[in-house]
Each structure stands twice: as structure tokens, then as C-alpha cells.
Amino acid sequence: MGELSALDPDEAPFWRSLMRITTALPRALEDQFLPETGLAITDYGVLVALSEAPDHLLRISALATTTGLSLSRISRVVDDLTRRGLVEKRKCAEDGRASNAVLTAAGLARLEAAYPGHLARVRASVFDHLSAEDIRTAGPVLARLAAALDATPPTDDC
């Protein structure tokens, strides 16, 4: 690997702001969300992913990829949601070594109840501070960054 150069005067503040957002925004959302809904932001993300999947079902490894969580982390979250009756865990019909997560009716109801408060907090924390042009400009940039992070998906749980 070649010599790395220090962040330049444009990159450094961009990086510091990005780091601040990636640490402070989830905490700010969680501080309101958990007491109001009983769901952690990670729980909410898993429920959203399952609600958008065909038949509300995803293989655990696919759920990890979709949510950006490690296989061990997604397993713990799914196990917790299963204990709470919000998700069911089922053996994969195609591969008995793998498991699927399935959103339950109770999980969907909890997600629907949590959505209005989550939406209000997201708007107040993010979108109320941006113009339509900001969103149009930043959207593709953030999508490229997210795609670069997704380039190495977690290994399958089989």
C-alpha cells in the first residue's frame, strides 16, 4: 500500500461531521424511540426490513445484509424479537441448516404503531434542516457510500 496523505481541508470537516452524525443521530433517535415504543432503532430496522420482504420473510443472512448488521448481531436481535412475539424463526425449507425470520402480526402491529413517532423524529432530526436541493444532491452521495459499504456482505449462515 502506498503512502497515505492526511485529510485535506475539505475532507477533514466532512469526515468529522459524518462521524458525528453516525454516532449522535442513532443515539438521539433511540433516546426518544425506545421509551415511546419499547423498540430499539435496530429492532425497528429489522421489523421494517421484514415488513418490506415478500411474505414478510427473509433468510437470516439476507436480513443481516439488508440491515447492515453482522450475522451474530442479527441473530441476537432476531432471538430477542422472537422472545417478544414480534418475529418467528423458521428453518429454511430449501436448506435445513439455515433459518428464516418472519414478521408476526404482533410485529407488524408494533411497527405500524411506532411509525408515526419515528417519522416525526426523523423529520425533526434530519429533513427539517435540509432543502429539497440538499436532499437531491446528498442522496446520490450517501447512496454511493452505502453501496461501497455493502460491497462485502457478511458470510452466509449455512
Side-chain angles (χ1 to χ4, degrees):
M1 178 156 65
E3 178 102 11
L4 294 176
S5 59
L7 297 179
D8 70 32
D10 291 326
E11 293 169 331
F14 177 90
W15 178 246
R16 282 191 293 276
S17 294
L18 184 60
M19 290 301 298
R20 176 80 175 131
I21 290 166
T22 60
T23 56
L25 182 59
R27 188 175 62 241
L29 292 172
E30 185 98 3
D31 286 349
Q32 178 192 23
F33 201 64
L34 187 58
E36 287 180 2
T37 67
L39 295 170
I41 290 299
T42 302
D43 299 338
Y44 184 81
V46 168
L47 296 179
V48 168
L50 290 172
S51 76
E52 294 173 345
D55 300 319
H56 296 200
L57 178 146
L58 281 172
R59 194 172 185 154
I60 298 292
S61 57
L63 186 56
T65 300
T66 300
T67 59
L69 299 173
S70 68
L71 285 173
S72 61
R73 178 75 174 120
I74 197 66
S75 292
R76 287 191 305 272
V77 172
V78 168
D79 287 346
D80 178 61
L81 292 171
T82 298
R83 279 190 294 277
R84 295 162 59 194
L86 305 177
V87 169
E88 289 179 2
K89 221 169 152 179
R90 296 183 189 157
K91 285 288 182 196
C92 180
E94 298 82 31
D95 183 349
R97 299 171 296 165
S99 294
N100 294 321
V102 184
L103 184 65
T104 65
L108 183 59
R110 177 75 69 87
L111 177 63
E112 289 171 345
Y115 177 72
H118 179 64
L119 176 62
R121 185 67 169 188
V122 167
R123 288 205 175 281
S125 298
V126 178
F127 292 103
D128 289 352
H129 306 280
L130 301 171
S131 69
E133 182 60 27
D134 292 334
I135 295 165
R136 276 191 296 279
T137 302
V141 172
L142 294 175
R144 279 197 316 272
L145 291 173
L149 292 172
D150 290 341
T152 310
T155 58
D156 202 328
D157 58 350
C158 298

